[in-house]
Amino acid sequence: MKRIILTVAALAAIITGGVAAAAPAMAGTNANPGNGAVVITSQAQADALSGTTINKNVDVPAGVTRADGSPIWLSWAHITGNVSIEGNVFMAGNTIDGNVTVSGPGSFLGLSNQASHFGRNLTVQNSSGIYTGGPGTTSFGNWTQYPGAGQTAATSQVDGSFTFINNSGGLYSGYPMHVTGGFTYSGNTSPVLDRSGLAVSGQQNIS
């Protein structure tokens, strides 16, 4: 209980100064000319993508945070490609058609506010995570509390599998998250922080 209270308090400070709590003013399509992935290196770039459809892969490189060192917010975007996160990201109300991969020292993904929907697999690997207000660090955290675009339930959704392997940061999912495929948890040196909100329909491999 102490961890949840501290974490929500920490998040509240970010939310009140961030963009994640509000729905986009307008939706559109971001053409993103060129053959490479869309690389997000600042909150300003993430803000410009809010409410757009991104027909590319998206990458958030290692070390990318907001100016105050907190995770950037990527909100209300539809990404048709894959997402790679080596930096620190909070997501709210996103739809991602491809795979989402979080990897590397200091990497972090958090789901907060409005639910997000991942059309394929979510993988968190070799991450040392970041401090989110509780004991140790967190590599993946789920604080989903409201329905996202086109949703009626406040539940983030992974249509494929959820793989959490070889991380020294913890796994927190005290709020609703549904995984249609399997769940693999192995090779991690940090204990599970909270998995009470995680519902898995497929096979679970935990070691």
Side-chain angles (χ1 to χ4, degrees):
M1 179 62 68
K2 182 177 180 181
R3 174 179 173 78
I4 296 175
I5 293 172
L6 289 173
T7 302
V8 171
L11 289 174
I14 301 172
I15 293 168
T16 55
V19 299
M26 61 179 294
T29 299
N30 191 304
N32 296 309
N35 296 319
V38 176
V39 180
I40 300 174
T41 59
S42 69
Q43 184 61 57
Q45 287 178 302
D47 289 347
L49 296 171
S50 180
T52 71
T53 295
I54 306 166
N55 292 309
K56 295 279 187 179
N57 294 333
V58 171
D59 180 56
V60 182
V64 171
T65 64
R66 297 178 65 168
D68 63 1
S70 62
I72 66 169
W73 283 92
L74 179 61
S75 308
W76 300 102
H78 178 195
I79 300 169
T80 63
N82 300 319
V83 176
S84 300
I85 298 171
E86 297 84 37
N88 299 169
V89 178
F90 269 116
M91 290 189 178
N94 293 302
T95 300
I96 299 170
D97 296 344
N99 297 308
V100 177
T101 302
V102 182
S103 63
S107 59
F108 165 79
L109 172 61
L111 309 181
S112 188
N113 293 334
Q114 291 82 9
S116 291
H117 188 171
F118 301 159
R120 297 189 69 182
N121 303 316
L122 169 61
T123 301
V124 183
Q125 60 188 12
N126 305 312
S127 166
S128 57
I130 64 171
Y131 181 69
T132 59
T137 58
T138 304
S139 294
F140 175 82
N142 172 39
W143 295 273
T144 297
Q145 298 178 60
Y146 308 102
Q151 299 175 328
T152 57
T155 304
S156 284
Q157 171 73 27
V158 177
D159 290 344
S161 62
F162 179 22
T163 302
F164 192 91
I165 57 173
N166 303 325
N167 300 295
S168 56
L171 166 62
Y172 178 85
S173 187
Y175 291 80
M177 175 173 163
H178 178 246
V179 177
T180 300
F183 172 59
T184 299
Y185 181 95
S186 68
N188 303 295
T189 58
S190 174
V192 174
L193 301 173
D194 190 337
R195 213 166 62 224
S196 60
L198 182 63
V200 179
S201 296
Q203 182 176 354
Q204 299 190 50
N205 299 302
I206 300 174
S207 62

